[in-house]
Amino acid sequence: MFELTGKRILVTGASSGLGNHFARTLAGAGAEVIVAARRKDALDGLVAEIVGGRGLARAVPLDVTDMGSIAAALDMAGDIDVLVNNAGVTNTKAVLEQTEADFDFILDTNLKGGFLVATEVARRMKNRGAAGSIVNIASILGLRQGGQVTPYAISKAAVIQMTKQLGLELARFNIRVNAIAPGYVATELNDAFFQSEAGKALIKRVPQRRLGNLSDLDGPLVLLASDASLYMTGSIITVDGGHLVGSL
Ligand SMILES: NC(=O)c1ccc[n+]([C@@H]2O[C@H](COP(=O)([O-])OP(=O)(O)OC[C@H]3O[C@@H](n4cnc5c(N)ncnc54)[C@H](OP(=O)(O)O)[C@@H]3O)[C@@H](O)[C@H]2O)c1
């Protein structure tokens, strides 16, 4: 039931961070992973490591803001059983400093890009009469507010509604659409911030009093990718150490 052997899984944004870890986790659970992003050299390194560990992996170049690139990547990938719709960008700026270009950059990648990849994958699943699973990577910032990340938070709130809309409309084709909403996960990119006083204060507001580790996302990811979640669609799973239920 929790078996991923025989499933081909496309992971977008796999050249770093969460996506890189997701690809390793899914390959470790037996899936063939197709890793996608713009930085092909980083993907090639990841594929070499997975294949070196006797896993199944291939890399395809992908820019989620370009429909031609999405179609070409899916042609190269072949039939996909599961999509991990993870590619995303953010910035840190006060809302009145955010420009039209900032807003477009973040929404075009996180929302429009995620929508285009999900719907094109689903179109192809439907056309070949195959069941499938789409796992969107949202954020707790799609459910609560945080300073200096307004376009990002708006994009992630939209990803949560997109998950429910697609869950509704694609159920008739046996395509499930769910999302993981991670809290703050420790990565190399945010290491410096979480060593600062502001970063330490933020960690104190998490009921479990720690950041998430990448491995904390493994269980929900494998659940949603596998047949263990056959009766789940339109669900949002928060993985945040209780951050969203922190005391007022
Ligand atoms: N880290 C956290 O604490 C956290 C918490 C909640 C949610 N998330 C979400 O998790 C996802 C991954 O974030 P991360 O922290 O791992 O960030 P990251 O290390 O910066 O990774 C972002 C990934 O997205 C890819 N990407 C960006 N623009 C793209 C485009 N136009 N086309 C294709 N790929 C693109 C990047 O690859 P290329 O540059 O090679 O294209 C990279 O692989 C995001 O959706 C983010 O919002 C992260």
Side-chain angles (χ1 to χ4, degrees):
M1 212 178 181
F2 294 92
E3 192 50 56
L4 293 178
T5 304
K7 290 198 191 290
R8 182 179 289 150
I9 304 184
L10 175 67
V11 183
T12 71
S15 57
S16 64
L18 272 57
N20 178 294
H21 179 80
F22 292 156
R24 293 169 194 272
T25 299
L26 296 166
E32 175 192 358
V33 291
I34 312 296
V35 294
R38 294 167 301 181
R39 284 171 293 162
K40 181 71 167 40
D41 51 341
L43 297 175
D44 289 340
L46 172 62
V47 166
E49 282 185 41
I50 293 173
V51 171
R54 297 184 178 275
L56 295 172
R58 282 190 287 129
V60 298
L62 170 67
D63 181 345
V64 300
T65 66
D66 175 348
M67 195 57 218
S69 170
I70 294 169
L74 294 181
D75 288 346
M76 285 175 68
D79 293 345
I80 295 298
D81 302 297
V82 178
L83 165 67
V84 181
N85 209 5
N86 163 77
V89 292
T90 188
N91 70 5
T92 308
K93 270 189 196 182
V95 68
L96 298 186
E97 307 298 323
Q98 299 276 0
T99 64
E100 181 179 1
D102 290 329
F103 189 87
D104 286 348
F105 170 63
I106 293 171
L107 274 288
D108 279 353
T109 305
N110 298 3
L111 176 56
K112 186 175 170 187
F115 176 80
L116 292 177
V117 175
T119 49
E120 185 55 23
V121 165
R123 211 169 274 123
R124 292 172 185 230
M125 287 170 173
K126 172 189 172 252
N127 288 345
R128 61 180 226 271
S133 169
I134 295 173
V135 184
N136 294 322
I137 305 303
S139 165
I140 56 170
L141 282 163
L143 295 160
R144 279 266 301 269
Q145 298 70 46
Q148 313 234 0
V149 287
T150 292
Y152 176 80
I154 292 169
S155 77
K156 292 298 181 177
V159 166
I160 285 168
Q161 183 66 353
M162 176 175 86
T163 301
K164 298 175 184 177
Q165 285 290 141
L166 296 184
L168 165 68
E169 289 208 44
L170 299 178
R172 74 195 64 185
F173 307 119
N174 256 326
I175 299 168
R176 300 177 296 109
V177 188
N178 297 289
I180 297 172
Y184 289 88
V185 179
T187 63
E188 283 170 29
L189 290 182
N190 57 32
D191 189 44
F193 172 71
F194 285 112
Q195 302 290 342
S196 71
E197 288 312 309
K200 287 179 189 162
L202 188 149
I203 294 169
K204 280 194 188 142
R205 295 198 295 274
V206 179
Q208 289 190 356
R209 300 286 189 272
R210 69 169 177 89
L211 295 173
N213 298 313
L214 287 167
S215 60
D216 289 320
L217 300 169
D218 292 354
L221 178 71
V222 174
L223 168 71
L224 294 180
S226 75
D227 291 351
S229 58
L230 280 184
Y231 200 50
M232 290 177 70
T233 199
S235 294
I236 314 299
I237 302 181
T238 55
V239 184
D240 68 347
H243 206 160
L244 284 187
V245 295
S247 175
L248 289 176

